[in-house]
Amino acid sequence: TPHTGLLAYVRRHLLKEPERAARVPDIALDRLAWFDHFDEERMQSLSQEGVVRGLIKTYELGSDLAQISQMRALVEAVWDVFDTEGTGRVSKKEFLKPGDGLADAIIATRATLR
């Protein structure tokens, strides 16, 4: 029966219900909330992959593999401009830096990403 046996066990104990995705904060309205949303490791910094994920979710590119690949290459190409401390991650300070931070760069280019 559907309520007993191996399949029922797998459904109950191994398969997780998909969690509802939290709404992605609008980076233009709340830069800090966007940063915190994608700082999944809670390290007060973002990895390249975290920024790529953030851009994919922000601009709803989830099913377009060509755009995802292009986004990943773009982030990698400009990473050192924003990782001014050379840590391999963009700190909250680097992200929020007025005029030159990654947040402002994302906001400034959002028209070309949509």
Side-chain angles (χ1 to χ4, degrees):
T1 71
H3 303 290
T4 61
L6 181 60
L7 183 56
Y9 177 85
V10 168
R11 284 184 177 147
R12 274 194 315 273
H13 299 287
L14 301 178
L15 295 179
K16 290 185 175 183
E17 289 294 317
E19 295 179 20
R20 288 188 188 227
R23 186 176 188 92
V24 175
D26 184 333
I27 191 170
L29 299 176
D30 194 343
R31 297 165 191 190
L32 185 56
W34 194 94
F35 179 94
D36 289 339
H37 186 83
F38 293 106
D39 179 17
E40 295 172 346
E41 300 96 356
R42 303 293 175 238
M43 294 178 62
Q44 302 298 307
S45 62
L46 298 172
S47 65
Q48 278 190 41
E49 196 55 36
V51 171
V52 170
R53 262 193 316 280
L55 293 171
I56 289 168
K57 290 181 180 183
T58 297
Y59 299 109
E60 300 173 350
L61 305 176
S63 61
D64 189 330
L65 296 179
Q67 280 189 314
I68 291 170
S69 179
Q70 195 172 25
M71 184 66 66
R72 186 169 278 114
L74 174 65
V75 170
E76 185 177 342
V78 301
W79 192 254
D80 290 340
V81 172
F82 301 105
D83 176 19
T84 58
E85 297 167 4
T87 63
R89 300 179 67 86
V90 171
S91 69
K92 191 176 282 190
K93 177 182 169 187
E94 292 167 323
F95 183 80
L96 297 172
K97 185 177 180 183
D100 293 326
L102 182 55
D104 282 341
I106 292 169
I107 293 165
T109 59
R110 82 186 298 170
T112 63
L113 296 175
R114 286 194 175 218

